[in-house]
Amino acid sequence: MFLTRFRVNTARPGARRLLSSPQVLHAAVMSSFPSLLPSNAPPPDGPRVLWRLDHTTRAEVMLYVVSPDRPDMTHLVEQAGWPAAATSSAPGWESRPYGPFLDRLSLGEQWTFRLTANPVHHIRRKADEPTKRTAHVTPVHQMGWLLQRQEQCGFRVLEKPADRRLLPGGTTHTGQPHHGDGYEFTVHDKRALSFDKSRGPAKAAGRKGAVSLVTVTFDGRLEVTDPEKLRRTLRQGIGKAKAYGCGLLTLAPLGAAG
C-alpha cells in the first residue's frame, strides 16, 4: 500500500479541467497505475485506489491517493503540476509506503482524522414505491451518518467533555441530539456536484449519463477501537461514490491536520 500526495497547480488550464469533473479526475488518477486496466474491478474485500481533494486554500489544492501499487503521476504533473521543476528525485508528487503505518495502529490510540464522504440514506415516499438513495443535506444528519458507521469501521469519534458543551445533554431545543455539540468533529465544505460520466460537467439536469451527488468533509478526533477493522477501512474507504473522491479516511497525530 502507498499513500501519495500531489499538489495541484490551479493556474493551469489542465488543472481546471481536472477539478471541474470528478469523473475526469478519477480517470486521471486510475491512469497512474500501468498494470491497472480500465475493466479491472477492485476485489470486494481487498485494497482499492482511493483519492481525495483537499482545498487547503483557494489557491492550494492537494490530491491524496491511497493505492495498492506505487503510482506514476507524470501525466498529472504535465497537465496540472509544475513540469519544468520536476526532477528524478522530486518528480512532482510524493509517495510513501503505507503498510508500516497501518501495521503500527493499536487499540486505544487517538488521532485526528479527515474524511470526504457522500452521506446518503434510503427513503420511500410511498408504501408501494421502491426505496431511493438520497443525500443527507443537514450537518446533524451527515454527522449521524458517520457516527452510525464508526463501530464497524474500527474507531469511535471522541466525545467532548461536559464543560465544553453548549447545549444541555447535547440536544437541541426539540430534544434531538446535536452531534456537533457532543463530539469532537465538524462537517464542512459541502459540495453539490453534477457532472457527466463521459463528457465532464453536466449542463442539463436529466441528461443521459449525468451524475449528481453531495459531498462533505469531516474533521475531528477519533480513538482506535479495533485496529484490524480500522486498517480495512483505511484500505477500502467509507461509504459510496469512492470513484468520485469520497471515502478516503486519513489520520494524523493529534494537533495536526487530517
Side-chain angles (χ1 to χ4, degrees):
M1 296 293 295
F2 292 87
L3 174 63
T4 301
R5 182 176 66 176
F6 173 85
R7 184 183 173 197
V8 180
N9 184 350
T10 57
R12 303 199 66 185
R16 292 194 288 272
R17 178 173 177 270
L18 290 171
L19 296 176
S20 70
S21 169
Q23 177 67 27
V24 173
L25 185 51
H26 168 70
V29 169
M30 300 306 287
S31 296
S32 302
F33 304 94
S35 62
L36 190 62
L37 299 176
S39 58
N40 286 356
D45 297 319
R48 59 181 298 156
V49 176
L50 300 169
W51 61 271
R52 185 184 78 221
L53 284 175
D54 282 5
H55 297 260
T56 309
T57 66
R58 184 181 181 87
E60 184 175 67
V61 179
M62 306 297 294
L63 170 66
Y64 290 91
V65 179
V66 165
S67 58
D69 303 313
R70 186 186 294 271
D72 179 352
M73 294 187 167
T74 304
H75 62 298
L76 280 172
V77 175
E78 294 170 349
Q79 295 177 59
W82 285 265
T87 65
S88 58
S89 60
W93 70 92
E94 300 175 79
S95 287
R96 297 181 179 179
Y98 203 32
F101 171 77
L102 298 180
D103 292 341
R104 290 195 303 269
L105 290 173
S106 60
L107 182 68
E109 288 182 338
Q110 295 185 354
W111 299 87
T112 62
F113 72 88
R114 175 166 291 173
L115 167 70
T116 292
N118 170 226
V120 296
H121 61 135
H122 292 82
I123 62 172
R124 180 185 285 113
R125 292 178 299 177
K126 298 180 181 178
D128 57 346
E129 285 186 348
T131 59
K132 179 181 179 181
R133 185 187 298 171
T134 305
H136 283 301
V137 295
T138 66
V140 168
H141 289 109
Q142 291 160 351
M143 289 177 168
W145 174 90
L146 182 58
L147 292 173
Q148 290 171 2
R149 285 156 179 78
Q150 58 181 346
E151 181 178 355
Q152 69 192 56
C153 290
F155 65 86
R156 71 173 184 90
V157 179
L158 296 180
E159 295 186 27
K160 288 182 180 178
D163 59 0
R164 290 181 52 203
R165 300 185 184 187
L166 302 179
L167 300 172
T171 62
T172 66
H173 68 281
T174 62
Q176 298 300 311
H178 194 293
H179 306 305
D181 192 49
Y183 292 88
E184 294 273 9
F185 73 144
T186 61
V187 58
H188 61 95
D189 199 23
K190 177 181 174 182
R191 293 173 183 264
L193 305 176
S194 181
F195 55 93
D196 191 276
K197 282 188 175 182
S198 60
R199 289 170 289 178
K203 295 182 180 179
R207 193 171 76 181
K208 186 176 180 180
V211 175
S212 296
L213 55 92
V214 174
T215 69
V216 295
T217 297
F218 299 96
D219 282 316
R221 298 183 175 191
L222 61 76
E223 180 178 301
V224 181
T225 57
D226 188 318
E228 191 53 45
K229 285 183 179 180
L230 182 55
R231 291 185 192 103
R232 185 174 66 243
T233 298
L234 293 169
R235 291 193 299 260
Q236 298 179 8
I238 302 176
K240 304 294 184 181
K242 295 184 180 75
Y244 302 132
C246 296
L248 172 55
L249 175 72
T250 53
L251 306 179
L254 291 180

